[in-house]
Amino acid sequence: VSLPVGTLLRHYLAARLRFRGLRGDALIRHQDRLGRAAVEFARARAPYYRDLFAGRPASDWRRFPTTDKAAMMAHFDTYNTAGVTREEAQAVALRAEADRDFSPTLRGLTVGLSSGTSGHRGLFLVSDAERAAWAGVVLARVLPALPPSGYRVAFFLRSDSNLYGGLRGRRIDFRYFDLMTPLPEAVAALNDLQPDILAGPPRLLGYLAAARRRGDLRIRPVKVVSFAEVLEPEDRERIAGAFDRPVHQAYQCTEGLLALTCPEVSLHVQEDVVAFQTEALPGDAERVTPIVTDLYRRVQPMIRHRMNDVLVMASKPCACGSAFRVIERIEGRCDDVCEFPDAEGRLRPFFPDTIRRMVLLTPGIADYQAVQEAPGRLRVHVEPAGDAPFDGVTAALRENVERTLAHYGCRAVGVEVERGLPSLDPRAKRRRVIRREAA
Ligand SMILES: [Zn+2]
């Protein structure tokens, strides 16, 4: 894979300095300068943005109208600045996925399908320079100081593009694995590679943690990084325990980088790369949803892009010394907020994190998925742990759900418990709490 190495190094070095040094007014000025440039570029070349931001001074970009993934997909042709149509991008991406060959590009641009539930997959376009900038920032912040012996990195991801590719140099061996690789094969390859850094979605890291406990997997990475899915507390503990390392995290959206953990394992917003604005969720003092402006992307600009995630921001600065804000928790998606009726029959919101905790209060559950298809109802798919009797788990789970809801003055109309987890496409994102319309 040919990445512009000069661009990568420049971003790598600059990113190191900015993380420690950029704060206060200097950070605002840095964002303002790049934000204005991003707006001017998008307005000059993407008709969608020209119309959306018409008649406003670029300096006012933090108050511009918002956009989102649905708008991005609906207006794909005029949303990008390279004149690429949705049809041609989709054709390249789907062909690549079918052939499992992610080298083809479209007029020099990488095309990919972001993960997501079927029908909600985003199409993205990035240039080589943008990929190099991305890699430079990630390497600067994810890799500990480079030891003289160099690094071996094993990077697992759903192959949907040649976005990440591989890098192999004298000091760094960056090996990429397809998430579709059968586990025994992946374990053998990892035993052979002996990576210093292991990165993948939490679901995959969970499988590898189990293999590590069984003794099949014999690697001792110095750093374990989770990305692409929400890292839930129970997975984090399981993975950290197996590898005897804290689990680091990268938080991304449609292949944009939003937040990474520092040496203190705090998830810092990458404020030099994205302007991250937050909006309070109605009726909640703590939870927010982000509006993101990517300060560097040009091919497919992301300006005032409203995301669907529910976050809780930390109230104190991190001990590592960086002034970049810290995300305390990623609770899930706004779409997955469930509803239960109170005594007067009014529906109250229950955030995915609350549902998660009420399920996990129950002992004897190895894994689960909670689905709400109508307000007041909940279906919980349960995989019992070891020899826990399913009937006992079911009764205890029902009781916990009723008790938690009662604590908030609410009740359930119906709770179903089913044995076994629904099968999941290995390429889809895992969500343990889901709200959707009944099929
Ligand atoms: Zn920190």
Side-chain angles (χ1 to χ4, degrees), residues 19 262-266 268 318-322 326:
F19 187 68
C262 69
E264 303 282 325
V265 207
S266 305
H268 287 269
C318 181
C320 77
S322 174
V326 170

Side-chain angles (χ1 to χ4, degrees), residues 336-340 348-352 354-355 358 405 408 410:
D336 292 326
V337 175
C338 300
E339 292 177 314
F340 291 94
R348 301 278 180 199
F350 282 75
F351 290 92
T354 313
I355 305 283
M358 80 172 122
L405 292 175
Y408 294 100
C410 291

